[in-house]
Amino acid sequence: VPKIAKKLVSQTLQSLHGVDVPKRLRDSVDQYQRHLLDLAVTLRTSGEDEAKVAKVLDTVFKSYRAELIKTIMTLRGNDG
Amino acid sequence: VTTVLKNDDEEGRLRALDRLAILDTTAEAPFDKIVNLVRQVLHVPMCAVSLVDRNRQWFKAQCGLGVGETARDISFCTHAIGGPAPFIVRNAVDDPRFSGNPLVIGTPFIRSYAGIPLSTRDGYNIGTLCAIDTKPRDFPDSEIAILENFAKVVVDELELRQIASSDHMTGALSRRAWTDAAQMEINRASRYGRPLSLAILDIDKFKVINDTYGHPAGDIVIKRLAALCMASIRESDLFGRFGGEEFALLMPETNLGDAERAIERIRTAFAGEPIDTGCSIGATVSIGLALLDVGETDVSALIDRADKALYQAKNAGRNCTVVAWPGEPAIRQQIA
């Protein structure tokens, strides 16, 4: 289960590649990724199929990513 | 890292909730999506991200409940935030704590409830992610584990917003976050004809401090003023860093006389104690103070008047407060 969950999370997070996450946000993003993995594991453990888990992760992550980009822009504005 | 839960510190809990600046904000997709996913995955008709305020629970997101908030004294979530563990009610009708609850005997006819506390990093339960059913039911461990992990994601989302709204060095609000929150307070004060004061604080000769003692020492001086302000202000006040060595303090429900007394306490305390930065530095602060004018609705106009008073305070020799009275910016000084 953890292996499949890890694969699904990794697929979900692909769209984060190339995003320059400021140092100040890295802990927060790392923690989020751990929580996403925990969520994937519990969903799989409860019997949800891969497609369903992937869909849940994708839905949750898409809106997080949008907020993350907004936050990065805000921090750059605050700092600059 | 284990966080110690501060169950008994209700005022601290409310301040932690306040720091998130999330109450009464508009709906946001991440939270809406999570409650809908919980509803689908756990097969429940209702789910909410509930934030427990002093006298109410307010829903940042909900599905199936049909209301934006309820009184706190009838909320299940108030019970859920009392400890670190999931709070589960299998049949509210059989539970003496809830059998007479208006949410049980009336709409939305709650029968079963599972609430996971939303815990901040500093140990406060500010609300819950809860799944609710109109039928009695168990919530097996596997479902509770899923709900717990969704709750962690909710907290991650809340913290992301807090990072964006706070100044990294001091913990004060960022200029943008302060301006947005200040505009809301000004709208409210203007609508109801309530007094509201604004102080702008600027550390005197800060460039000299930096040039003489170095930037790390300058940062310590900035942090000292911020800490002093944050320890002195009320829950309803808004404290923000405008940039560099300049801060703003908005005081709702405060006339000029009371604001002046409050701000003078900060000024004298700051000037009164040398700051240990490795060397002992004596720093002072100049302050411009302005009251919201009748009919005034624009935060920038109020900032402009407080700024002018600050400029006069600098010209008057620094380490003083200058008050811009409504209308003409007449001057009253308090020099240490």
Side-chain angles (χ1 to χ4, degrees):
Chain A
V1 168
K3 205 172 169 183
I4 294 169
K6 212 167 180 175
K7 182 191 82 180
L8 292 171
V9 170
S10 174
Q11 285 169 357
T12 304
L13 293 173
Q14 270 178 1
S15 66
L16 198 58
H17 296 161
V19 176
D20 182 15
V21 178
K23 196 176 165 192
R24 190 173 156 192
L25 284 172
R26 276 181 210 150
D27 278 355
S28 173
V29 172
D30 288 348
Q31 178 174 272
Y32 177 79
Q33 292 182 17
R34 287 195 298 275
H35 291 159
L36 216 53
L37 181 60
D38 291 344
L39 179 62
V41 170
T42 49
L43 285 166
R44 282 290 294 160
T45 306
S46 76
E48 299 288 356
D49 63 33
E50 275 190 49
K52 177 76 181 286
V53 176
K55 196 175 171 194
V56 169
L57 295 180
D58 189 52
T59 305
V60 170
F61 180 67
K62 260 186 189 157
S63 48
Y64 176 83
R65 187 183 183 279
E67 191 62 35
L68 178 66
I69 301 291
K70 212 163 87 181
T71 303
I72 291 170
M73 303 295 281
T74 303
L75 290 182
R76 289 193 180 137
N78 289 346
D79 296 342
Chain B
V1 178
T2 306
T3 304
V4 178
L5 190 64
K6 298 164 182 166
N7 272 340
D8 300 329
D9 180 12
E10 175 63 7
E11 289 304 315
R13 194 191 70 78
L14 290 168
R15 280 197 296 277
L17 178 58
D18 202 42
R19 281 195 292 277
L20 289 170
I22 193 88
L23 289 173
D24 298 313
T25 54
T26 52
E28 291 179 78
F31 303 101
D32 289 341
K33 285 178 179 172
I34 288 170
V35 294
N36 278 307
L37 286 171
V38 169
R39 182 160 70 164
Q40 286 168 31
V41 173
L42 267 61
H43 307 289
V44 288
M46 293 172 272
C47 176
V49 173
S50 168
L51 299 166
V52 181
D53 198 1
R54 189 181 296 276
N55 297 312
R56 61 175 178 158
Q57 65 169 341
W58 178 82
F59 303 129
K60 176 61 188 170
Q62 61 84 20
C63 56
L65 282 164
V67 291
E69 64 181 55
T70 78
R72 178 171 174 174
D73 58 2
I74 59 168
S75 78
F76 284 56
C77 297
T78 293
H79 297 263
I81 64 168
F87 181 76
I88 299 166
V89 178
R90 287 177 178 80
N91 188 350
V93 173
D94 292 341
D95 189 322
R97 293 170 297 180
F98 301 108
S99 55
N101 187 304
L103 302 173
V104 174
I105 59 177
T107 310
F109 299 102
I110 294 172
R111 288 295 175 272
S112 50
Y113 169 99
I116 309 296
L118 302 173
S119 303
T120 60
R121 285 192 196 210
D122 48 359
Y124 293 105
N125 285 345
I126 44 117
T128 72
L129 175 66
C130 56
I132 303 166
D133 207 332
T134 51
K135 299 187 298 262
R137 62 168 282 179
D138 285 323
F139 289 93
D141 289 348
S142 59
E143 288 189 345
I144 293 300
I146 291 170
L147 198 57
E148 283 180 312
N149 286 317
F150 271 121
K152 287 177 190 168
V153 171
V154 168
V155 173
D156 290 338
E157 289 276 3
L158 291 171
E159 286 184 348
L160 194 58
R161 284 153 182 75
Q162 192 176 21
I163 290 169
S165 68
S166 67
D167 172 61
H168 188 40
M169 187 202 287
T170 62
L173 291 170
S174 67
R175 182 168 187 143
R176 282 185 194 188
W178 183 92
T179 305
D180 289 348
Q183 185 61 64
M184 282 171 68
E185 284 296 341
I186 286 169
N187 292 345
R188 196 186 62 81
S190 179
R191 192 180 318 129
Y192 298 109
R194 304 301 303 167
L196 176 148
S197 296
L198 168 67
I200 297 191
L201 306 87
D202 189 275
I203 297 171
D204 297 325
K205 297 187 176 175
F206 186 70
K207 187 174 181 310
V208 175
I209 293 172
N210 267 344
D211 290 347
T212 309
Y213 301 100
H215 287 273
D219 288 351
I220 292 172
V221 173
I222 285 174
K223 286 180 195 168
R224 163 75 179 144
L225 177 61
L228 195 58
C229 288
M230 287 193 279
S232 310
I233 63 177
R234 303 163 303 176
E235 197 180 310
S236 54
D237 296 338
L238 291 174
F239 180 63
R241 186 176 178 199
F242 262 26
E245 68 276 25
E246 191 177 53
F247 293 90
L249 176 58
L250 191 88
M251 294 166 273
E253 300 290 332
T254 311
N255 59 36
L256 269 181
D258 289 340
E260 193 179 5
R261 276 187 288 280
I263 212 74
E264 275 295 283
R265 276 196 295 274
I266 291 171
R267 185 186 65 76
T268 52
F270 187 64
E273 196 176 324
I275 302 162
D276 182 9
T277 65
C279 305
S280 181
I281 300 177
T284 59
V285 61
S286 296
I287 301 167
L289 187 60
L291 179 74
L292 186 70
D293 223 338
V294 176
E296 194 170 45
T297 55
D298 183 8
V299 66
S300 56
L302 183 62
I303 291 171
D304 189 48
R305 286 191 294 110
D307 249 343
K308 282 180 179 149
L310 172 63
Y311 182 73
Q312 289 171 344
K314 294 285 185 186
N315 281 342
R318 301 183 179 87
N319 190 22
C320 64
T321 299
V322 168
V323 180
W325 295 94
E328 193 64 24
I331 299 171
R332 182 145 58 97
Q333 291 178 29
Q334 304 235 338
I335 300 174

